[in-house]
Amino acid sequence: MYPLFLDLTGRRVVVVGGGRVATRRVGGLLEAGAVVHVVAPSVTDKLSALVGQDSVSWEPRGYLPGDLEGALLVHTATGVKGVDAQVAWDAAAAGIWCVNAADHARSAAWTPTIARGEGAAEGIEVAVTAGGDPRRAVRVRDAIADLLAAGGLPTARFRAAR
Ligand SMILES: C[C@@]1(CC(=O)O)C2=NC(=C\c3[nH]c(c(CCC(=O)O)c3CC(=O)O)Cc3[nH]c(c(CC(=O)O)c3CCC(=O)O)/C=C3\N/C(=C\2)[C@@H](CCC(=O)O)[C@]3(C)CC(=O)O)/[C@H]1CCC(=O)O
Ligand SMILES: NC(=O)c1ccc[n+]([C@@H]2O[C@H](COP(=O)([O-])OP(=O)(O)OC[C@H]3O[C@@H](n4cnc5c(N)ncnc54)[C@H](O)[C@@H]3O)[C@@H](O)[C@H]2O)c1
């Protein structure tokens, strides 16, 4: 795996699925400035509330080939392994990065968990992966977040905040 932080400002991201996992992903994508298009027969109330925003659209139906057009990145989390595999396959064929929430071995990209600093640690973001064991990653993330909050890491700036 090759870690990167992506500037998604104004970039189109397609999310296939509208459940708990998709809702979490849409939240993070919006924070990163992405323009998000959701394809799912139904969405959570929380996601439905986000669909009112300019940067989120929702196609209320199942996935169809062609839905990924124009996307830079795709997340698929339908709970139907065959559909997620199809989306991952279509994305790969189109040269689009795809996170497959159902199958780490067939996921071209993985979502890390993030510890974000506040106050004196504002601007620090530590992304954690645990090789495909997300709850393990979350525990390490929490420990780092605690350290950041307690001032236990060297967060002094050498450049002005951007
Ligand atoms: C970090 C986090 C980011 C996020 O989702 O935002 C994330 N998963 C989180 C939570 C979580 N995931 C799962 C559970 C249920 C409990 C359990 O199974 O443990 C919970 C807990 C919950 O949901 O509360 C199940 C699960 N996850 C994957 C599979 C498929 C597989 O393993 O093959 C299955 C089995 C599905 C099934 O059974 O069908 C796959 C992936 N999950 C990843 C990321 C990538 C690997 C990152 C890494 O390991 O470093 C990867 C490869 C791809 C991706 O999805 O990006 C997020 C923590 C959010 C936070 O920050 O709090
Ligand atoms: N990677 C992770 O972080 C993680 C965590 C937990 C679970 N999972 C996996 O993600 C899946 C989804 O989890 P969830 O809790 O969001 O499930 P969920 O059942 O709440 O949501 C599934 C969503 O997919 C939609 N959907 C179903 N068929 C579809 C289709 N053909 N096209 C488009 N959308 C379709 C449904 O309408 C619903 O909105 C789980 O089954 C599991 O495989 C991944």
Short mmCIF file of all heavy atoms in Angstrom, two decimals, residues 44-106:
data_model
loop_
_atom_site.label_atom_id
_atom_site.label_comp_id
_atom_site.label_asym_id
_atom_site.label_seq_id
_atom_site.Cartn_x
_atom_site.Cartn_y
_atom_site.Cartn_z
N THR A 44 -29.60 6.13 4.43
CA THR A 44 -29.92 6.39 5.84
C THR A 44 -30.50 7.80 5.98
O THR A 44 -30.33 8.65 5.10
CB THR A 44 -28.64 6.32 6.71
OG1 THR A 44 -27.73 7.33 6.26
CG2 THR A 44 -27.97 4.96 6.63
N ASP A 45 -31.17 8.05 7.11
CA ASP A 45 -31.72 9.40 7.35
C ASP A 45 -30.60 10.44 7.35
O ASP A 45 -30.77 11.54 6.84
CB ASP A 45 -32.45 9.43 8.71
CG ASP A 45 -33.74 8.63 8.66
OD1 ASP A 45 -34.17 8.26 7.54
OD2 ASP A 45 -34.30 8.34 9.74
N LYS A 46 -29.47 10.05 7.95
CA LYS A 46 -28.34 10.99 8.03
C LYS A 46 -27.84 11.35 6.63
O LYS A 46 -27.57 12.52 6.33
CB LYS A 46 -27.21 10.33 8.85
CG LYS A 46 -26.14 11.27 9.29
CD LYS A 46 -25.19 10.56 10.25
CE LYS A 46 -23.94 11.39 10.48
NZ LYS A 46 -22.92 10.66 11.24
N LEU A 47 -27.76 10.34 5.76
CA LEU A 47 -27.29 10.60 4.39
C LEU A 47 -28.35 11.39 3.62
O LEU A 47 -28.03 12.31 2.86
CB LEU A 47 -26.96 9.26 3.71
CG LEU A 47 -26.34 9.30 2.32
CD1 LEU A 47 -25.23 10.33 2.22
CD2 LEU A 47 -25.79 7.92 1.97
N SER A 48 -29.60 11.05 3.86
CA SER A 48 -30.70 11.77 3.20
C SER A 48 -30.64 13.26 3.53
O SER A 48 -30.86 14.12 2.67
CB SER A 48 -32.02 11.15 3.66
OG SER A 48 -33.08 11.91 3.20
N ALA A 49 -30.28 13.58 4.77
CA ALA A 49 -30.18 14.99 5.18
C ALA A 49 -29.03 15.68 4.43
O ALA A 49 -29.12 16.87 4.09
CB ALA A 49 -29.96 15.09 6.68
N LEU A 50 -27.95 14.93 4.15
CA LEU A 50 -26.80 15.52 3.43
C LEU A 50 -27.12 15.76 1.97
O LEU A 50 -26.54 16.65 1.34
CB LEU A 50 -25.58 14.59 3.54
CG LEU A 50 -24.96 14.42 4.93
CD1 LEU A 50 -23.87 13.36 4.90
CD2 LEU A 50 -24.39 15.75 5.41
N VAL A 51 -28.06 14.96 1.43
CA VAL A 51 -28.36 15.05 0.00
C VAL A 51 -28.92 16.42 -0.37
O VAL A 51 -28.83 16.86 -1.52
CB VAL A 51 -29.32 13.91 -0.43
CG1 VAL A 51 -29.87 14.11 -1.82
CG2 VAL A 51 -28.59 12.57 -0.36
N GLY A 52 -29.43 17.16 0.62
CA GLY A 52 -29.92 18.52 0.37
C GLY A 52 -28.80 19.49 -0.01
O GLY A 52 -29.04 20.52 -0.61
N GLN A 53 -27.55 19.14 0.33
CA GLN A 53 -26.44 20.06 0.06
C GLN A 53 -26.08 20.07 -1.42
O GLN A 53 -26.27 19.08 -2.12
CB GLN A 53 -25.18 19.63 0.82
CG GLN A 53 -25.33 19.68 2.32
CD GLN A 53 -24.03 19.30 3.03
OE1 GLN A 53 -22.96 19.23 2.42
NE2 GLN A 53 -24.12 19.05 4.31
N ASP A 54 -25.50 21.19 -1.87
CA ASP A 54 -25.12 21.33 -3.28
C ASP A 54 -24.15 20.25 -3.72
O ASP A 54 -24.18 19.81 -4.87
CB ASP A 54 -24.40 22.68 -3.49
CG ASP A 54 -25.40 23.81 -3.55
OD1 ASP A 54 -26.61 23.51 -3.59
OD2 ASP A 54 -24.96 24.97 -3.53
N SER A 55 -23.27 19.83 -2.82
CA SER A 55 -22.19 18.93 -3.23
C SER A 55 -22.54 17.44 -3.13
O SER A 55 -21.66 16.60 -3.30
CB SER A 55 -20.93 19.23 -2.42
OG SER A 55 -21.28 19.41 -1.08
N VAL A 56 -23.81 17.12 -2.85
CA VAL A 56 -24.21 15.70 -2.79
C VAL A 56 -25.45 15.46 -3.65
O VAL A 56 -26.44 16.16 -3.53
CB VAL A 56 -24.57 15.27 -1.35
CG1 VAL A 56 -24.71 13.74 -1.28
CG2 VAL A 56 -23.55 15.73 -0.35
N SER A 57 -25.36 14.46 -4.51
CA SER A 57 -26.55 14.06 -5.28
C SER A 57 -26.80 12.58 -5.04
O SER A 57 -25.90 11.84 -4.62
CB SER A 57 -26.33 14.34 -6.77
OG SER A 57 -25.13 13.75 -7.21
N TRP A 58 -28.03 12.15 -5.27
CA TRP A 58 -28.43 10.76 -5.00
C TRP A 58 -29.26 10.21 -6.15
O TRP A 58 -30.28 10.81 -6.51
CB TRP A 58 -29.21 10.69 -3.68
CG TRP A 58 -29.81 9.34 -3.39
CD1 TRP A 58 -29.31 8.11 -3.72
CD2 TRP A 58 -31.05 9.08 -2.71
NE1 TRP A 58 -30.14 7.11 -3.29
CE2 TRP A 58 -31.22 7.69 -2.65
CE3 TRP A 58 -32.02 9.92 -2.14
CZ2 TRP A 58 -32.33 7.09 -2.06
CZ3 TRP A 58 -33.12 9.33 -1.55
CH2 TRP A 58 -33.27 7.92 -1.50
N GLU A 59 -28.84 9.09 -6.69
CA GLU A 59 -29.60 8.36 -7.72
C GLU A 59 -30.30 7.22 -7.00
O GLU A 59 -29.63 6.26 -6.57
CB GLU A 59 -28.60 7.81 -8.75
CG GLU A 59 -29.19 7.32 -10.02
CD GLU A 59 -29.62 8.46 -10.93
OE1 GLU A 59 -28.78 9.32 -11.26
OE2 GLU A 59 -30.81 8.47 -11.29
N PRO A 60 -31.63 7.28 -6.79
CA PRO A 60 -32.31 6.28 -5.95
C PRO A 60 -32.62 4.97 -6.69
O PRO A 60 -33.77 4.64 -6.98
CB PRO A 60 -33.59 7.00 -5.52
CG PRO A 60 -33.84 8.00 -6.59
CD PRO A 60 -32.53 8.34 -7.24
N ARG A 61 -31.57 4.24 -7.00
CA ARG A 61 -31.72 2.92 -7.65
C ARG A 61 -30.46 2.12 -7.45
O ARG A 61 -29.46 2.63 -6.96
CB ARG A 61 -32.01 3.11 -9.15
CG ARG A 61 -30.95 3.89 -9.88
CD ARG A 61 -30.96 3.63 -11.38
NE ARG A 61 -30.08 4.53 -12.10
CZ ARG A 61 -28.77 4.49 -12.14
NH1 ARG A 61 -28.13 3.55 -11.47
NH2 ARG A 61 -28.05 5.34 -12.84
N GLY A 62 -30.49 0.85 -7.87
CA GLY A 62 -29.31 0.00 -7.81
C GLY A 62 -28.25 0.45 -8.81
O GLY A 62 -28.55 1.17 -9.78
N TYR A 63 -27.03 -0.03 -8.57
CA TYR A 63 -25.89 0.31 -9.43
C TYR A 63 -26.09 -0.18 -10.86
O TYR A 63 -26.56 -1.29 -11.09
CB TYR A 63 -24.63 -0.34 -8.86
CG TYR A 63 -23.44 -0.24 -9.77
CD1 TYR A 63 -22.76 0.97 -9.91
CD2 TYR A 63 -23.01 -1.34 -10.51
CE1 TYR A 63 -21.67 1.07 -10.77
CE2 TYR A 63 -21.92 -1.25 -11.37
CZ TYR A 63 -21.26 -0.04 -11.49
OH TYR A 63 -20.18 0.06 -12.35
N LEU A 64 -25.69 0.66 -11.81
CA LEU A 64 -25.70 0.27 -13.22
C LEU A 64 -24.34 0.63 -13.83
O LEU A 64 -23.75 1.65 -13.45
CB LEU A 64 -26.78 1.04 -13.99
CG LEU A 64 -28.23 0.69 -13.68
CD1 LEU A 64 -29.17 1.64 -14.44
CD2 LEU A 64 -28.53 -0.76 -14.06
N PRO A 65 -23.86 -0.21 -14.77
CA PRO A 65 -22.62 0.16 -15.46
C PRO A 65 -22.82 1.56 -16.07
O PRO A 65 -23.90 1.88 -16.56
CB PRO A 65 -22.49 -0.89 -16.57
CG PRO A 65 -23.30 -2.05 -16.07
CD PRO A 65 -24.42 -1.47 -15.26
N GLY A 66 -21.80 2.38 -16.00
CA GLY A 66 -21.92 3.76 -16.49
C GLY A 66 -22.00 4.76 -15.35
O GLY A 66 -21.72 5.95 -15.53
N ASP A 67 -22.37 4.28 -14.14
CA ASP A 67 -22.52 5.19 -13.00
C ASP A 67 -21.20 5.81 -12.54
O ASP A 67 -21.20 6.78 -11.80
CB ASP A 67 -23.15 4.45 -11.80
CG ASP A 67 -24.65 4.24 -11.96
OD1 ASP A 67 -25.26 4.97 -12.77
OD2 ASP A 67 -25.19 3.35 -11.28
N LEU A 68 -20.08 5.20 -12.95
CA LEU A 68 -18.79 5.68 -12.44
C LEU A 68 -18.19 6.77 -13.33
O LEU A 68 -17.13 7.33 -13.01
CB LEU A 68 -17.79 4.51 -12.33
CG LEU A 68 -18.30 3.28 -11.58
CD1 LEU A 68 -17.17 2.26 -11.44
CD2 LEU A 68 -18.84 3.67 -10.21
N GLU A 69 -18.87 7.09 -14.44
CA GLU A 69 -18.30 8.03 -15.42
C GLU A 69 -17.93 9.36 -14.76
O GLU A 69 -18.72 9.93 -14.01
CB GLU A 69 -19.32 8.27 -16.53
CG GLU A 69 -18.66 8.63 -17.83
CD GLU A 69 -19.69 8.76 -18.95
OE1 GLU A 69 -20.48 7.81 -19.13
OE2 GLU A 69 -19.69 9.83 -19.59
N GLY A 70 -16.74 9.82 -15.03
CA GLY A 70 -16.30 11.12 -14.53
C GLY A 70 -15.76 11.10 -13.12
O GLY A 70 -15.35 12.13 -12.59
N ALA A 71 -15.78 9.92 -12.47
CA ALA A 71 -15.31 9.86 -11.08
C ALA A 71 -13.79 9.71 -11.02
O ALA A 71 -13.17 9.08 -11.88
CB ALA A 71 -15.97 8.70 -10.34
N LEU A 72 -13.22 10.30 -9.97
CA LEU A 72 -11.79 10.14 -9.69
C LEU A 72 -11.60 8.95 -8.76
O LEU A 72 -10.59 8.26 -8.79
CB LEU A 72 -11.31 11.41 -9.00
CG LEU A 72 -9.91 11.45 -8.47
CD1 LEU A 72 -8.96 11.89 -9.57
CD2 LEU A 72 -9.80 12.40 -7.28
N LEU A 73 -12.63 8.76 -7.92
CA LEU A 73 -12.56 7.77 -6.84
C LEU A 73 -13.96 7.21 -6.62
O LEU A 73 -14.95 7.94 -6.78
CB LEU A 73 -12.07 8.48 -5.56
CG LEU A 73 -12.06 7.71 -4.25
CD1 LEU A 73 -11.01 6.60 -4.30
CD2 LEU A 73 -11.75 8.67 -3.10
N VAL A 74 -14.02 5.93 -6.25
CA VAL A 74 -15.30 5.26 -5.98
C VAL A 74 -15.21 4.54 -4.65
O VAL A 74 -14.15 3.99 -4.32
CB VAL A 74 -15.60 4.22 -7.09
CG1 VAL A 74 -16.85 3.43 -6.78
CG2 VAL A 74 -15.71 4.89 -8.44
N HIS A 75 -16.29 4.59 -3.87
CA HIS A 75 -16.42 3.73 -2.69
C HIS A 75 -17.63 2.84 -2.94
O HIS A 75 -18.69 3.36 -3.31
CB HIS A 75 -16.71 4.55 -1.42
CG HIS A 75 -15.50 5.19 -0.83
ND1 HIS A 75 -14.83 4.65 0.25
CD2 HIS A 75 -14.85 6.32 -1.15
CE1 HIS A 75 -13.82 5.44 0.56
NE2 HIS A 75 -13.81 6.46 -0.27
N THR A 76 -17.48 1.54 -2.72
CA THR A 76 -18.65 0.67 -2.83
C THR A 76 -18.86 -0.05 -1.52
O THR A 76 -17.94 -0.64 -0.94
CB THR A 76 -18.56 -0.28 -4.05
OG1 THR A 76 -19.79 -1.00 -4.15
CG2 THR A 76 -17.40 -1.26 -3.96
N ALA A 77 -20.10 0.03 -0.99
CA ALA A 77 -20.46 -0.58 0.30
C ALA A 77 -21.94 -0.93 0.26
O ALA A 77 -22.76 -0.32 0.95
CB ALA A 77 -20.17 0.39 1.44
N THR A 78 -22.26 -1.90 -0.57
CA THR A 78 -23.68 -2.25 -0.74
C THR A 78 -24.12 -3.39 0.16
O THR A 78 -25.31 -3.64 0.30
CB THR A 78 -23.98 -2.67 -2.20
OG1 THR A 78 -23.31 -3.91 -2.46
CG2 THR A 78 -23.54 -1.61 -3.19
N GLY A 79 -23.16 -4.16 0.70
CA GLY A 79 -23.52 -5.35 1.45
C GLY A 79 -23.83 -6.53 0.56
O GLY A 79 -24.13 -7.62 1.05
N VAL A 80 -23.74 -6.32 -0.76
CA VAL A 80 -23.96 -7.41 -1.73
C VAL A 80 -22.61 -7.64 -2.41
O VAL A 80 -22.18 -6.82 -3.22
CB VAL A 80 -25.04 -7.04 -2.78
CG1 VAL A 80 -25.31 -8.22 -3.70
CG2 VAL A 80 -26.30 -6.55 -2.10
N LYS A 81 -21.95 -8.72 -2.04
CA LYS A 81 -20.56 -8.91 -2.49
C LYS A 81 -20.43 -8.86 -4.01
O LYS A 81 -19.47 -8.30 -4.53
CB LYS A 81 -19.97 -10.20 -1.93
CG LYS A 81 -19.76 -10.07 -0.41
CD LYS A 81 -18.65 -10.94 0.13
CE LYS A 81 -18.61 -10.76 1.65
NZ LYS A 81 -17.36 -10.58 2.26
N GLY A 82 -21.41 -9.46 -4.71
CA GLY A 82 -21.35 -9.49 -6.18
C GLY A 82 -21.42 -8.08 -6.76
O GLY A 82 -20.72 -7.77 -7.74
N VAL A 83 -22.26 -7.24 -6.17
CA VAL A 83 -22.38 -5.85 -6.67
C VAL A 83 -21.08 -5.09 -6.39
O VAL A 83 -20.53 -4.42 -7.27
CB VAL A 83 -23.58 -5.12 -6.02
CG1 VAL A 83 -23.60 -3.64 -6.42
CG2 VAL A 83 -24.89 -5.80 -6.40
N ASP A 84 -20.56 -5.23 -5.15
CA ASP A 84 -19.31 -4.54 -4.82
C ASP A 84 -18.18 -5.01 -5.74
O ASP A 84 -17.37 -4.20 -6.19
CB ASP A 84 -18.94 -4.76 -3.35
CG ASP A 84 -19.88 -4.03 -2.39
OD1 ASP A 84 -20.42 -2.97 -2.78
OD2 ASP A 84 -20.08 -4.51 -1.27
N ALA A 85 -18.14 -6.30 -6.02
CA ALA A 85 -17.10 -6.84 -6.91
C ALA A 85 -17.25 -6.26 -8.31
O ALA A 85 -16.25 -5.91 -8.96
CB ALA A 85 -17.17 -8.36 -6.94
N GLN A 86 -18.48 -6.15 -8.78
CA GLN A 86 -18.74 -5.59 -10.12
C GLN A 86 -18.28 -4.13 -10.20
O GLN A 86 -17.64 -3.70 -11.15
CB GLN A 86 -20.25 -5.67 -10.43
CG GLN A 86 -20.64 -5.12 -11.80
CD GLN A 86 -20.12 -6.00 -12.94
OE1 GLN A 86 -20.33 -7.21 -12.90
NE2 GLN A 86 -19.45 -5.42 -13.90
N VAL A 87 -18.61 -3.36 -9.14
CA VAL A 87 -18.22 -1.94 -9.11
C VAL A 87 -16.69 -1.84 -9.12
O VAL A 87 -16.12 -1.05 -9.87
CB VAL A 87 -18.80 -1.25 -7.85
CG1 VAL A 87 -18.26 0.18 -7.73
CG2 VAL A 87 -20.33 -1.24 -7.89
N ALA A 88 -16.04 -2.68 -8.29
CA ALA A 88 -14.57 -2.65 -8.22
C ALA A 88 -13.97 -3.01 -9.59
O ALA A 88 -13.00 -2.39 -10.03
CB ALA A 88 -14.07 -3.61 -7.15
N TRP A 89 -14.58 -3.97 -10.23
CA TRP A 89 -14.11 -4.41 -11.56
C TRP A 89 -14.28 -3.29 -12.58
O TRP A 89 -13.37 -2.96 -13.35
CB TRP A 89 -14.90 -5.65 -11.97
CG TRP A 89 -14.56 -6.17 -13.34
CD1 TRP A 89 -15.15 -5.80 -14.52
CD2 TRP A 89 -13.53 -7.11 -13.68
NE1 TRP A 89 -14.57 -6.45 -15.57
CE2 TRP A 89 -13.57 -7.26 -15.08
CE3 TRP A 89 -12.60 -7.83 -12.92
CZ2 TRP A 89 -12.70 -8.13 -15.75
CZ3 TRP A 89 -11.73 -8.70 -13.61
CH2 TRP A 89 -11.79 -8.83 -15.00
N ASP A 90 -15.47 -2.68 -12.61
CA ASP A 90 -15.75 -1.60 -13.56
C ASP A 90 -14.81 -0.41 -13.33
O ASP A 90 -14.34 0.22 -14.29
CB ASP A 90 -17.21 -1.11 -13.43
CG ASP A 90 -18.21 -2.17 -13.89
OD1 ASP A 90 -17.79 -3.17 -14.52
OD2 ASP A 90 -19.42 -2.00 -13.62
N ALA A 91 -14.55 -0.12 -12.05
CA ALA A 91 -13.66 1.00 -11.73
C ALA A 91 -12.25 0.70 -12.24
O ALA A 91 -11.61 1.54 -12.89
CB ALA A 91 -13.64 1.26 -10.22
N ALA A 92 -11.78 -0.51 -11.97
CA ALA A 92 -10.42 -0.88 -12.41
C ALA A 92 -10.32 -0.78 -13.94
O ALA A 92 -9.34 -0.27 -14.47
CB ALA A 92 -10.08 -2.28 -11.93
N ALA A 93 -11.37 -1.25 -14.62
CA ALA A 93 -11.36 -1.21 -16.10
C ALA A 93 -11.33 0.22 -16.62
O ALA A 93 -10.77 0.49 -17.68
CB ALA A 93 -12.60 -1.95 -16.64
N ALA A 94 -11.91 1.14 -15.84
CA ALA A 94 -11.96 2.55 -16.26
C ALA A 94 -10.79 3.35 -15.70
O ALA A 94 -10.71 4.57 -15.90
CB ALA A 94 -13.30 3.16 -15.81
N GLY A 95 -9.89 2.70 -14.95
CA GLY A 95 -8.74 3.41 -14.38
C GLY A 95 -9.11 4.34 -13.24
O GLY A 95 -8.47 5.36 -13.02
N ILE A 96 -10.16 3.97 -12.48
CA ILE A 96 -10.62 4.79 -11.36
C ILE A 96 -10.29 4.06 -10.06
O ILE A 96 -10.55 2.85 -9.94
CB ILE A 96 -12.16 5.00 -11.45
CG1 ILE A 96 -12.53 5.67 -12.78
CG2 ILE A 96 -12.68 5.81 -10.27
CD1 ILE A 96 -14.04 5.64 -13.08
N TRP A 97 -9.75 4.78 -9.07
CA TRP A 97 -9.47 4.16 -7.77
C TRP A 97 -10.76 3.77 -7.09
O TRP A 97 -11.73 4.53 -7.09
CB TRP A 97 -8.69 5.12 -6.87
CG TRP A 97 -7.28 5.28 -7.33
CD1 TRP A 97 -6.75 6.35 -7.99
CD2 TRP A 97 -6.23 4.31 -7.21
NE1 TRP A 97 -5.42 6.09 -8.28
CE2 TRP A 97 -5.09 4.87 -7.82
CE3 TRP A 97 -6.15 3.03 -6.65
CZ2 TRP A 97 -3.87 4.19 -7.88
CZ3 TRP A 97 -4.94 2.36 -6.71
CH2 TRP A 97 -3.82 2.93 -7.32
N CYS A 98 -10.79 2.57 -6.50
CA CYS A 98 -12.02 2.09 -5.86
C CYS A 98 -11.71 1.46 -4.51
O CYS A 98 -10.83 0.60 -4.40
CB CYS A 98 -12.71 1.06 -6.76
SG CYS A 98 -14.24 0.43 -6.03
N VAL A 99 -12.46 1.89 -3.49
CA VAL A 99 -12.43 1.26 -2.18
C VAL A 99 -13.61 0.29 -2.12
O VAL A 99 -14.76 0.69 -2.30
CB VAL A 99 -12.57 2.29 -1.04
CG1 VAL A 99 -12.60 1.58 0.32
CG2 VAL A 99 -11.45 3.31 -1.09
N ASN A 100 -13.31 -0.99 -1.92
CA ASN A 100 -14.35 -2.02 -1.83
C ASN A 100 -14.48 -2.41 -0.36
O ASN A 100 -13.66 -3.13 0.19
CB ASN A 100 -13.93 -3.22 -2.69
CG ASN A 100 -14.92 -4.36 -2.63
OD1 ASN A 100 -15.88 -4.33 -1.84
ND2 ASN A 100 -14.71 -5.38 -3.46
N ALA A 101 -15.55 -1.92 0.29
CA ALA A 101 -15.70 -2.10 1.74
C ALA A 101 -15.97 -3.55 2.13
O ALA A 101 -15.91 -3.89 3.30
CB ALA A 101 -16.83 -1.21 2.24
N ALA A 102 -16.26 -4.40 1.14
CA ALA A 102 -16.63 -5.78 1.46
C ALA A 102 -15.46 -6.75 1.36
O ALA A 102 -15.59 -7.89 1.82
CB ALA A 102 -17.75 -6.24 0.53
N ASP A 103 -14.34 -6.32 0.77
CA ASP A 103 -13.30 -7.31 0.47
C ASP A 103 -11.93 -6.63 0.36
O ASP A 103 -11.60 -6.06 -0.69
CB ASP A 103 -13.66 -8.01 -0.84
CG ASP A 103 -12.75 -9.18 -1.15
OD1 ASP A 103 -11.70 -9.31 -0.48
OD2 ASP A 103 -13.07 -9.95 -2.07
N HIS A 104 -11.16 -6.72 1.46
CA HIS A 104 -9.88 -6.01 1.47
C HIS A 104 -8.95 -6.48 0.35
O HIS A 104 -8.16 -5.71 -0.18
CB HIS A 104 -9.20 -6.15 2.84
CG HIS A 104 -8.72 -7.53 3.15
ND1 HIS A 104 -9.56 -8.51 3.60
CD2 HIS A 104 -7.49 -8.09 3.04
CE1 HIS A 104 -8.87 -9.62 3.78
NE2 HIS A 104 -7.61 -9.39 3.44
N ALA A 105 -9.06 -7.78 0.00
CA ALA A 105 -8.15 -8.33 -1.01
C ALA A 105 -8.48 -7.82 -2.42
O ALA A 105 -7.64 -7.86 -3.30
CB ALA A 105 -8.20 -9.85 -0.98
N ARG A 106 -9.70 -7.36 -2.60
CA ARG A 106 -10.12 -6.84 -3.91
C ARG A 106 -10.46 -5.35 -3.83
O ARG A 106 -11.36 -4.87 -4.50
CB ARG A 106 -11.31 -7.64 -4.44
CG ARG A 106 -10.91 -9.05 -4.83
CD ARG A 106 -12.07 -9.87 -5.37
NE ARG A 106 -11.62 -11.20 -5.72
CZ ARG A 106 -11.35 -12.17 -4.82
NH1 ARG A 106 -11.51 -11.94 -3.54
NH2 ARG A 106 -10.94 -13.35 -5.22
#
